[in-house]
């Protein structure tokens, strides 16, 4: 029996969180156990992100800390997994003495072998990308909890010109619908209350004749009291059928993450986003008609190559027009191998920062206003855990993905409840008088009190 203890740190997107569970599934099958304390570990793995330069800088910082631990424990194995491993490959081993193994996102099955080799002092690299790997037969290693993540597809074929993901995660491929449904059944049995279906671009999901809307419906039917969420949608493939499916099933959450990236058609074209602002607005309008109360979030990039002040103003304008509930906002970061990398990085950092700050400021104001309108309303909340600030309060989420802080009353984690909103800022709602809601009488719409 293998006695090695593994410590894993995860950075980046939710796909990496799901991948870490797969890595743990693979390692536990081979007899490895896990520790939460890096200093007690025989093997340290870092699941990395390469989407922006800043993400990689953080990892280099962590390697410094692991170098110190290795000084005290020379047998320690340090491995880099994920997108940065795929992107930098040999360079990581050559330039970072502390690194013993490098494994890209499609090579996790080889981890036991790579770790064994590293334990006897040999460095290893595995960065082949696969057209078919979905880890479908691997049972992810999950602690019991409220919310679970399931990668329903891997990779991306969109090739947005700024994005490194098609190079680090390879071609698009989907997991079979039935095996996803079986996994959701098992999660329900274990008491999970929410499942998040993940893909770089879920609208491209395909299993024979089934598309993503079919998958969502199949998952929603497993347990009507289990919330179903999904990320990320691409505006080009965001179909009417999908919108109708979200509307039809009470337990499919009324929340859509739909990255727009820019409000300028010229920039969208340079980004190879394959839609126009007009198409985007039409999709939002249609979804709002068919799913009353639906909430939207988006991604925005400030300072893409050649972006003018006028383009930037168009981005601010689109924020005002759509009035997103929330947004993830980034400064453009050039990534090697991408098409945009060749366009140069001509927007000075101060200009990027200023534009980003204007975008953030405007979006915060809009989120604040939208949340203020909820004061006095009653919302349905799924309680996910304790408030970060005080054990006397719970933290939960609305169907529309808004965070709610509420009094504990006699409620428990995992309960659905209705709560009256009494205060709000741009990121959080605060509630009073939360009351348990039996699973059978769930509401999903806001009600007036
Ligand atoms: N620079 C800045 N932001 C980026 N994103 C992807 N690539 C880059 C980049 N090179 C952002 C996009 C995407 C989100 C996941 O990250 O907005 O939707
Ligand atoms: Fe990157 Fe575009 Fe694919 Fe998203 S859709 S992962 S931004 S290439």
């Amino acid at each position: 029996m293998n006695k090695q203890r593994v410590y894993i740190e995860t950075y980046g997107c939710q796909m990496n969180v799901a991948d870490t569970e797969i890595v743990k599934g693979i390692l536990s099958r081979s007899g490895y156990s896990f520790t939460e304390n890096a200093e007690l570990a025989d093997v340290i793995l870092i699941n990395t992100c390469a989407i922006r330069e800043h993400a990689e800088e953080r990892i280099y910082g962590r390697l410094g800390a692991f170098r110190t631990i290795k000084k005290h424990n020379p047998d320690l194995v340090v491995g880099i997994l994920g997108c940065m491993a795929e992107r930098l490959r040999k360079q990581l081993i050559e330039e970072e003495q502390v690194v013993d193994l490098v494994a890209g996102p499609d090579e996790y099955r080889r981890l036991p072998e790579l770790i064994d080799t590293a334990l006897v002092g040999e460095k290893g690299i595995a960065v082949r990308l696969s057209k078919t790997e979905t880890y479908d037969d691997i049972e992810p290693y999950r602690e019991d909890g409220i919310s679970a993540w399931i990668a329903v597809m891997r990779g991306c074929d969109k090739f947005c010109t700024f994005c490194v993901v098609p190079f680090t995660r390879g071609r698009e491929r989907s997991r079979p619908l039935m095996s996803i449904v079986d996994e959701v059944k098992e999660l329900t049995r274990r008491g999970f209350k929410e499942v998040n279906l993940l893909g770089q671009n879920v609208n491209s999901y395909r299993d024979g004749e089934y598309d993503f809307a079919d998958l969502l419906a199949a998952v929603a039917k497993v347990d009507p009291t289990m919330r179903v969420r999904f990320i990320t949608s691409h505006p080009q493939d965001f179909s009417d059928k999908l919108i109708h499916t979200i509307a039809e099933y009470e337990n499919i959450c009324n929340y859509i993450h739909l990255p727009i990236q820019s409000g300028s058609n010229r920039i969208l074209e340079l980004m190879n986003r394959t839609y126009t602002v007009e198409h985007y607005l039409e999709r939002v309008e249609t979804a709002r008609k068919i799913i009353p109360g639906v909430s939207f979030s988006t991604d925005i990039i400030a300072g893409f190559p050649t972006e003018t002040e006028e383009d930037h103003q168009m981005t601010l304008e689109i924020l005002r027009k759509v009035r997103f509930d929330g947004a993830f906002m980034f400064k453009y970061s050039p990534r090697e191998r991408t098409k945009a990398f060749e366009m140069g990085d001509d927007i000075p950092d101060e200009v990027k920062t200023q534009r980003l700050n204007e975008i953030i400021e405007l979006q915060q104001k809009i989120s604040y206003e939208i949340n203020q309108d909820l004061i006095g309303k009653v919302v349905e909340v799924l309680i996910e855990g304790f408030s970060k600030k005080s054990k006397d309060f719970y933290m939960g989420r609305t169907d529309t993905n808004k965070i709610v802080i509420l009094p504990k009353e006699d409620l428990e984690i995992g309960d659905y409840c209705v709560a009256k909103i009494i205060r709000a800022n741009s990121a959080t709602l605060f509630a009073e008088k939360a009351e348990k809601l039996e699973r059978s009488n769930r509401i999903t719409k806001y009600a007036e009190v």
Side-chain angles (χ1 to χ4, degrees):
M1 181 70 181
N2 190 329
K3 294 253 170 50
Q4 309 292 339
R5 277 165 306 179
V6 183
Y7 167 85
I8 310 189
E9 252 173 44
T10 308
Y11 293 85
C13 62
Q14 291 304 331
M15 190 60 94
N16 268 7
V17 175
D19 275 2
T20 291
E21 294 178 343
I22 287 176
V23 166
K24 284 180 146 183
I26 291 169
L27 293 179
S28 73
R29 259 194 195 179
S30 297
Y32 288 90
S33 61
F34 304 105
T35 169
E36 301 287 311
N37 184 344
E39 312 214 350
L40 298 180
D42 304 291
V43 181
I44 291 180
L45 300 176
I46 322 173
N47 196 355
T48 62
C49 171
I51 197 112
R52 283 169 292 273
E53 198 178 338
H54 178 68
E56 293 191 353
E57 282 162 3
R58 280 180 70 200
I59 309 290
Y60 283 119
R62 284 307 282 156
L63 285 180
F66 298 146
R67 210 170 288 131
T68 314
I69 301 179
K70 199 160 176 164
K71 268 197 198 123
H72 302 289
N73 175 12
D75 294 334
L76 176 72
V77 166
V78 175
I80 308 230
L81 317 181
C83 288
M84 196 176 159
E86 190 64 47
R87 193 178 91 74
L88 296 171
R89 307 173 169 214
K90 225 164 88 193
Q91 192 186 326
L92 280 170
I93 291 213
E94 285 170 357
E95 289 175 6
E96 299 291 324
Q97 268 294 312
V98 67
V99 176
D100 300 296
L101 75 88
V102 171
D106 288 344
E107 294 272 36
Y108 296 149
R109 284 178 201 271
R110 289 184 55 200
L111 274 175
E113 161 207 332
L114 288 164
I115 293 173
D116 284 348
T117 318
L119 283 166
V120 296
E122 249 174 74
K123 304 211 171 200
I125 304 183
V127 286
R128 191 184 48 98
L129 285 171
S130 159
K131 289 201 172 73
T132 53
E133 178 64 273
T134 59
Y135 300 109
D136 191 42
D137 57 316
I138 305 285
E139 191 188 336
Y141 182 100
R142 289 191 184 100
E143 306 290 342
D144 283 339
I146 303 302
S147 187
W149 302 90
I150 302 183
V152 300
M153 57 174 301
R154 301 179 70 81
C156 184
D157 288 351
K158 286 283 180 201
F159 287 94
C160 301
T161 57
F162 51 79
C163 185
V164 79
V165 167
F167 305 98
T168 61
R169 288 188 166 273
R171 299 288 60 77
E172 249 166 43
R173 66 223 98 121
S174 303
R175 268 184 71 181
L177 178 139
M178 273 325 289
S179 89
I180 297 166
V181 167
D182 286 343
E183 192 168 331
V184 175
K185 283 183 185 160
E186 173 60 15
L187 290 169
T188 313
R189 197 194 57 73
R190 280 180 60 186
F192 281 87
K193 297 287 170 56
E194 180 179 277
V195 60
N196 294 266
L197 307 184
L198 284 176
Q200 243 68 45
N201 168 22
V202 287
N203 310 116
S204 297
Y205 177 88
R206 272 257 150 226
D207 174 18
E209 67 195 285
Y210 301 125
D211 63 12
F212 184 64
D214 298 323
L215 174 69
L216 258 190
V219 167
K221 276 186 218 156
V222 170
D223 175 357
T225 66
M226 175 105 137
R227 276 185 173 175
V228 184
R229 298 189 185 278
F230 58 97
I231 46 171
T232 295
S233 303
H234 191 291
Q236 185 202 354
D237 319 313
F238 193 67
S239 68
D240 283 356
K241 179 177 171 188
L242 179 57
I243 295 174
H244 282 287
T245 305
I246 301 168
E248 189 180 335
Y249 293 87
E250 279 286 271
N251 58 329
I252 300 180
C253 289
N254 292 348
Y255 165 67
I256 299 162
H257 181 58
L258 198 65
I260 187 166
Q261 314 293 5
S262 168
S264 153
N265 281 335
R266 187 183 71 84
I267 296 290
L268 286 177
E269 184 151 6
L270 285 176
M271 287 175 163
N272 188 32
R273 286 292 289 179
T274 66
Y275 54 83
T276 58
V277 168
E278 292 71 27
H279 172 81
Y280 188 97
L281 288 171
E282 184 279 324
R283 289 289 78 196
V284 169
E285 206 177 301
T286 303
R288 282 183 170 157
K289 235 180 256 155
I290 297 170
I291 318 165
V294 65
S295 77
F296 276 98
S297 65
T298 201
D299 291 347
I300 301 277
I301 297 178
F304 186 82
T306 78
E307 186 187 75
T308 61
E309 179 59 27
E310 200 185 349
D311 294 319
H312 167 61
Q313 289 301 329
M314 288 175 175
T315 297
L316 295 175
E317 190 50 36
I318 203 75
L319 293 183
R320 284 186 207 105
K321 251 194 195 139
V322 177
R323 292 181 70 77
F324 293 102
D325 293 78
F328 301 91
M329 300 155 279
F330 313 102
K331 264 200 269 187
Y332 171 68
S333 168
R335 308 313 283 144
E336 266 171 293
R337 294 179 74 188
T338 62
K339 275 231 172 90
F341 191 79
E342 280 143 41
M343 298 175 197
D345 184 17
D346 60 331
I347 310 300
D349 193 56
E350 314 84 78
V351 177
K352 282 187 196 168
T353 304
Q354 196 197 329
R355 288 182 186 166
L356 179 66
N357 286 343
E358 285 174 25
I359 291 167
I360 292 172
E361 200 179 309
L362 171 61
Q363 182 52 46
Q364 273 183 348
K365 179 172 162 275
I366 292 168
S367 298
Y368 180 82
E369 288 167 2
I370 292 175
N371 288 349
Q372 291 301 302
D373 280 349
L374 290 172
I375 294 176
K377 303 250 163 77
V378 164
V379 295
E380 183 202 282
V381 180
L382 171 62
I383 301 173
E384 294 182 15
F386 290 104
S387 149
K388 270 192 213 136
K389 291 199 183 131
S390 158
K391 286 255 187 269
D392 295 333
F393 290 85
Y394 281 138
M395 184 282 282
R397 257 171 237 268
T398 63
D399 174 81
T400 52
N401 208 32
K402 291 180 190 289
I403 290 179
V404 184
I405 303 297
L406 65 164
K408 274 166 78 178
E409 316 270 350
D410 50 359
L411 297 161
E412 291 187 26
I413 293 170
D415 280 347
Y416 283 101
C417 65
V418 282
K420 185 179 170 189
I421 304 303
I422 49 166
R423 197 157 62 79
N425 58 34
S426 62
T428 313
L429 308 175
F430 299 86
E432 64 163 16
K433 276 201 294 192
E435 211 171 284
K436 184 163 170 160
L437 192 63
E438 285 317 317
R439 288 176 140 208
S440 54
N441 33 349
R442 292 187 48 200
I443 53 159
T444 50
K445 307 259 148 47
Y446 299 121
E448 298 288 343
V449 208

